[in-house]
């Protein structure tokens, strides 16, 4: 080896060593915020996390290392709340169904035809009902909800075309629902045979026919490409669905007061980005699906509403709803 070669090598090795030791030192000073979500990259509630990250980079430069994990690549769908409670995960978006498992009164928001529209949803959760329930969530689940995200209005999406007017027309249809009893109850209330499956397995289930259909808001039907393997969308509009950006209490309590405020503001900016784009897209998607060759049909929504509301009112879930909450929800305008 020539002297100049040796010198170059020594220099390279020294630079590498410096880089290796400098990097951990830099990241050590940053607070790591890991996010886990089953959302697919092209969906708004996946993209909103980039808004969260960029917002924090602006408001608190160099203070946070935000790591976004999509497609349930870090934690399986539905296991995020337990991971956050244990302090193994910092942030996620959790559903009313996740919450209802530990805070039974929250099941009022898993009931079909309870919330009217996204505007009412924001008013409910940003008002006194949200404040009361989120306090219980923080106490019982060890996570703090920071912002309410409109996931969209859930519609039934079928593999084969079917004449669906009332819940009786869904009899025997194997309708995929996420895997918890609260979700399955909703599927059964719609008149179908509810079948549990993780979101990431739905495309294949529809393609191979292990399920006859699934329910999701239209933007997710587009983003996860379910329209490629289904032939019909039935506009049941059975659930104005919300998810909540939540942070583990362990992580939140470790932040300074200004950091708490910045993380909350970033979560709210992310939710606002999602809500605006999702509401806009929802109005455009019927045309898109028709162009893709799907039949988009409107059932007797009043018949669905009546059947689903009666099923919930007569269920054990309704027995633990706080007194007067349905009236308070209805009065939120
Ligand atoms: C789904 O599995 O159908 C669902 O829509 C349930 C939601 O609570 C949420 O987990 C969502 O999937 C994922 O974020 C994927 O969009």
């Amino acid at each position: 080896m020539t002297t100049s070669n040796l010198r170059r090598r020594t220099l390279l090795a020294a630079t590498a060593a410096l880089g290796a030791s400098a990097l951990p030192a830099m990241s050590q000073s940053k607070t790591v915020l890991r996010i886990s979500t089953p959302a697919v990259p092209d969906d708004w509630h996946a993209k909103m996390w980039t808004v969260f990250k960029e917002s924090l980079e602006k408001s608190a430069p160099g203070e946070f290392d935000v790591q976004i994990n999509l497609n349930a690549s870090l934690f399986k769908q539905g296991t995020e709340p337990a991971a956050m409670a244990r302090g193994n995960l910092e942030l996620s978006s959790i559903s009313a169904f996740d919450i209802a498992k530990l805070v039974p009164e929250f099941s009022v928001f898993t009931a079909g035809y309870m919330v009217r529209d996204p505007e009412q949803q924001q008013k409910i959760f940003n008002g006194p009902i949200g404040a009361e329930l989120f306090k219980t969530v923080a106490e019982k689940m060890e996570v703090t909800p920071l912002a309410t995200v409109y996931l969209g209005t859930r519609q039934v999406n079928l593999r084969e075309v079917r004449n669906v007017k009332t819940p009786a027309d869904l009899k025997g249809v194997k309708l995929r629902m996420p895997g918890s009893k609260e979700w399955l109850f909703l599927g059964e209330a719609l008149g179908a045979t509810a079948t549990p499956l993780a979101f990431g397995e739905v495309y294949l289930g529809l393609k191979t026919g292990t399920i006859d259909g699934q329910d999701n808001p239209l933007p997710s039907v587009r983003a996860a490409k379910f329209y490629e393997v289904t032939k019909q969308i039935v506009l049941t509009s059975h659930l104005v669905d919300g998810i909540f950006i939540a942070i583990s209490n362990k992580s939140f309590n470790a932040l300074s007061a200004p950091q708490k405020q910045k993380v909350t503001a970033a979560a709210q900016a992310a939710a606002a980005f999602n809500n605006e784009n999702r509401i806009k897209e929802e109005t455009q998607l019927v045309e898109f699906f028709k162009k893709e060759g799907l039949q988009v049909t409107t059932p007797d929504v009043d018949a669905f509403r009546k059947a689903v509301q009666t099923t919930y009112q007569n269920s054990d879930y309704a027995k633990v709803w706080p007194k007067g909450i349905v009236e308070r929800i209805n009065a939120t305008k």
Side-chain angles (χ1 to χ4, degrees):
M1 198 182 292
T2 63
T3 322
S4 77
N5 260 351
L6 183 65
R7 216 177 278 145
R8 199 176 309 132
R9 276 194 160 197
T10 318
L11 196 68
L12 277 176
T15 317
L18 185 72
S21 63
L23 266 180
M26 267 166 60
S27 54
Q28 259 164 29
S29 62
K30 289 190 184 184
T31 301
V32 174
L33 296 179
R34 287 164 303 173
I35 294 152
S36 183
T37 168
V40 294
D42 202 22
D43 213 336
W44 299 109
H45 66 305
K47 293 182 184 170
M48 75 175 179
W49 288 113
T50 306
V51 173
F52 175 82
K53 186 180 165 95
E54 288 172 357
S55 165
L56 272 186
E57 273 161 12
K58 249 196 216 147
S59 64
E63 286 180 46
F64 293 97
D65 175 10
V66 177
Q67 301 174 7
I68 305 169
N69 301 279
L70 307 178
N71 293 318
S73 58
L74 195 58
F75 284 95
K76 277 196 199 147
Q77 182 180 29
T79 64
E80 306 91 345
M84 285 193 284
R86 285 196 309 269
N88 291 343
L89 176 69
E90 286 73 42
L91 283 134
S92 186
S93 52
I94 60 175
S95 70
F97 296 78
D98 295 324
I99 298 174
K101 281 189 209 166
L102 289 156
V103 182
E105 57 269 40
F106 214 91
S107 66
V108 68
F109 294 110
T110 68
Y113 302 103
M114 182 60 70
V115 176
R116 263 192 313 271
D117 53 43
E119 291 74 32
Q120 191 203 24
Q121 182 184 59
Q122 287 298 317
K123 285 190 186 143
I124 293 168
F125 291 108
N126 295 331
I129 299 177
E132 286 160 33
L133 287 172
F134 288 160
K135 193 169 166 276
T136 314
V137 169
E139 284 162 10
K140 286 202 182 164
M141 295 181 70
E142 288 297 328
V143 304
T144 299
L146 301 176
T148 302
V149 175
Y150 174 54
L151 189 66
T153 301
R154 295 182 86 92
Q155 315 289 358
V156 169
N157 176 210
L158 300 175
R159 215 177 158 255
E160 298 296 343
V161 176
R162 201 179 167 98
N163 184 11
V164 182
K165 289 289 176 224
T166 70
D169 301 320
L170 286 176
K171 195 171 172 13
V173 169
K174 264 197 262 164
L175 187 70
R176 171 272 168 180
M177 301 299 289
S180 78
K181 73 174 183 11
E182 288 78 11
W183 277 112
L184 297 175
F185 190 85
L186 177 61
E188 298 280 333
L190 289 167
T193 302
T195 310
L197 199 64
F199 187 81
E201 290 163 38
V202 174
Y203 185 95
L204 200 62
L206 290 168
K207 194 173 175 172
T208 58
T210 54
I211 49 173
D212 301 322
Q214 64 92 27
D215 87 305
N216 251 295
L218 298 184
S220 299
V221 175
R222 179 201 51 79
K225 298 197 174 3
F226 296 151
Y227 63 88
E228 292 180 351
V229 284
T230 53
K231 297 202 178 111
Q232 185 182 5
I233 288 168
V234 187
L235 296 171
T236 45
S237 300
H238 53 274
L239 185 76
V240 174
D241 203 359
I243 50 176
F244 308 92
I245 296 183
I247 184 165
S248 118
N249 281 356
K250 203 172 164 204
S251 323
F252 203 50
N253 294 338
L255 301 178
S256 66
Q259 282 180 327
K260 279 185 183 163
Q261 188 272 323
K262 286 170 190 174
V263 168
T264 305
Q268 283 168 359
F273 164 85
N274 165 90
N275 298 353
E276 191 184 315
N277 284 292
R278 192 178 291 277
I279 290 169
K280 192 165 150 215
E281 195 193 24
E282 239 176 2
T283 64
Q284 300 160 351
L285 280 174
V286 167
E287 278 320 302
F288 169 79
F289 292 127
K290 282 186 181 163
K291 277 199 195 112
E292 290 295 325
L294 274 80
Q295 285 202 24
V296 183
T297 60
T298 307
D300 181 347
V301 177
D302 282 341
F304 270 97
R305 182 181 296 111
K306 216 171 155 210
V308 170
Q309 286 182 339
T310 308
T311 305
Y312 274 93
Q313 273 152 15
N314 296 334
S315 72
D316 284 347
Y317 291 114
K319 292 189 183 135
V320 296
W321 293 349
K323 206 167 170 287
I325 190 140
V326 176
E327 291 73 15
R328 286 175 73 199
I329 292 171
N330 288 340
T332 307
K333 298 233 161 69

